[in-house]
Amino acid sequence: MAQGPDPRQPGASSIQSLIGDALRETNELARKEIALFRAEMAGNVRQLIVGLTCMVGSAVFAVVALLVLVGALVKWLATIVGSEWLSALIVGGVLLVIAVGMALWARSVLSLSTLAPTRTTRQVRQDAQALSERVSG
């Protein structure tokens, strides 16, 4: 009569089967986590695309609304000035002055000298000076 391994004494085969089960379960868990990550990222990308599409649509409507308001301003000013071409010239001139002012301000803000990391440069110089003093001192 053939007898199997004694269940009271764990053998090498039971440890191997436990390790094999643990590895299979770990592999399956990793696959499920990757699948969950892919599904979540796909949903997030879809939501991002919908959000960006809405932002572009709102920008288009904002530009159209701004043009309508500028046209209304020209017509209102025409009733005061008495000439539609003169009111259009006044409104266009004011908008041009605003645009040039904003462009000049943006140019000064975006110049390369203002983009330089001055605090980091100063800190690196202080660190280098402290290190050189420690080495030479």
Side-chain angles (χ1 to χ4, degrees):
M1 197 193 278
Q3 293 180 339
D6 189 1
R8 291 175 287 175
Q9 295 180 351
S13 63
S14 65
I15 292 174
Q16 288 175 350
S17 68
L18 287 175
I19 291 174
D21 289 343
L23 289 175
R24 276 190 297 279
E25 288 177 7
T26 303
N27 190 11
E28 183 179 340
L29 179 63
R31 274 192 306 232
K32 287 181 180 179
E33 290 291 334
I34 290 172
L36 177 63
F37 173 76
R38 284 182 180 168
E40 187 176 3
M41 289 306 294
N44 289 348
V45 167
R46 271 188 241 111
Q47 189 175 2
L48 179 67
I49 289 171
V50 168
L52 288 174
T53 303
C54 286
M55 289 294 283
V56 167
S58 68
V60 168
F61 281 111
V63 168
V64 170
L66 186 62
L67 291 174
V68 169
L69 289 174
V70 167
L73 179 64
V74 167
K75 289 187 188 263
W76 173 77
L77 193 58
T79 60
I80 294 174
V81 181
S83 172
E84 193 163 329
W85 69 267
L86 183 59
S87 65
L89 188 63
I90 292 170
V91 171
V94 168
L95 291 176
L96 182 63
V97 167
I98 291 172
V100 168
M102 287 175 69
L104 291 174
W105 177 77
R107 188 179 74 176
S108 70
V109 169
L110 295 176
S111 70
L112 291 178
S113 63
T114 60
L115 295 177
T118 55
R119 290 183 295 183
T120 304
T121 304
R122 182 175 54 242
Q123 188 62 42
V124 167
R125 284 184 185 145
Q126 288 175 353
D127 292 345
Q129 183 180 8
L131 285 173
S132 66
E133 288 174 0
R134 282 190 180 178
V135 168
S136 64

